[in-house]
Amino acid sequence: MTVGRAAAFVVILAVSLAASREVIRRKHAGLPLASASAPIPRSRAPSVRPRESIGGPSAGSTPAASSAAAVPASTPHLEAPPTPNPLGEALCPEGMVLAAGTTCAETGHTCKRKDPSLPGGCAEYEPAHCRTGLELRFCIDRDEYPNREGMLPAAMVTFEEAESACDTEGKRLCTEMEWQFSCEGESGLAFGYGDVRDASACNVGKRVPSVRPEELWESRDVASVLERVDARVPSGSMPRCTSPVGARDLVGNVEEWVRSDTSSDARALRGGEYTGDPSCSAVRKLKVAGYRQFHTGFRCCRDPLVRVR
């Protein structure tokens, strides 16, 4: 790493940490939270080099897609506090929700009504014909990392960084099965909020500018590009994008790293992101170590608490 590249990384890291401290101070003081990007704790894994941390390029990164049709943006607003769930609050740490029930063992959703504005898209799915699946019981972050309402979810995150960040909080990355159950619930809902597509419910279908490969070499350049193409929305700002278990933004916004249930390679991305038209079944399997994009993020899971506090 050159001296200039190292200096740029240090400046970006310092600014991110300062922003986090300010958000935490404002939250404790009861002030509104700023819609700022959240930093990721530095990975403890020795294989992650400084140039692969958040805000820099990596092998396998490609420009963000820009082919999805634009969707009129809804005015962001925060939903009213959810109905308290005493069991979930007792078994899950603050900021997490309890996901418990039987998975919908359904082989695929059947499209009931196609959407002519989306090539191959579906406007409404038939209700899932669920067979009895597996019993699951776990805790999942209500929002995408850093799991703070009013903040933008972290982006440009590698699978290894996501694993390390969850481990630092005493959690772990969700498995594919856990993630999908959190999105579709026991009824196997196609979009989490229902089986009928609502383009304004989640942050999807955004059109973003193209990015030249040479813009991704220096950390300061990546930060500038991210500011130009970023289409994330703050966590909690689209209340209808809430799943049956109470997790938000599982569909769209940033696609989320999970540990694959089926592939020999552990890396998978679920939920799609803001440039596409994803559903709960959207998935990408990756074998490229260090892959990240402007819209790759994550959330964490963990087993329920053993003792009620």
Side-chain angles (χ1 to χ4, degrees), residues 92-147:
C92 298
E94 182 179 1
M96 304 190 83
V97 294
L98 180 66
T102 306
T103 61
C104 174
E106 202 261 351
T107 56
H109 289 86
T110 302
C111 184
K112 180 178 181 180
R113 177 168 52 90
K114 293 186 178 297
D115 189 336
S117 66
L118 297 170
C122 185
E124 181 178 359
Y125 286 95
E126 295 280 0
H129 299 289
C130 295
R131 301 189 308 276
T132 302
L134 297 177
E135 287 285 342
L136 296 180
R137 188 182 183 87
F138 59 96
C139 302
I140 185 169
D141 285 346
R142 177 177 287 109
D143 296 305
E144 293 160 325
Y145 190 91
N147 195 24

Side-chain angles (χ1 to χ4, degrees), residues 138-220:
F138 59 96
C139 302
I140 185 169
D141 285 346
R142 177 177 287 109
D143 296 305
E144 293 160 325
Y145 190 91
N147 195 24
R148 292 183 182 275
E149 185 176 46
M151 289 185 66
L152 291 176
M156 290 291 288
V157 186
T158 67
F159 178 87
E160 292 75 16
E161 288 170 332
E163 276 196 316
S164 179
C166 288
D167 182 66
T168 298
E169 295 190 356
K171 304 174 184 178
R172 55 176 169 76
L173 275 184
C174 306
T175 66
E176 277 199 87
M177 183 178 295
E178 289 173 334
W179 192 97
Q180 184 156 347
F181 176 75
S182 298
C183 186
E184 66 182 19
E186 292 186 293
S187 300
L189 299 177
F191 299 103
Y193 53 79
D195 290 316
V196 180
R197 180 179 180 271
D198 181 349
S200 63
C202 300
N203 183 27
V204 299
K206 296 292 180 64
R207 189 183 299 275
V208 298
S210 60
V211 178
R212 300 188 307 274
E214 59 268 23
E215 294 181 284
L216 303 178
W217 287 107
E218 298 288 344
S219 296
R220 62 172 176 263

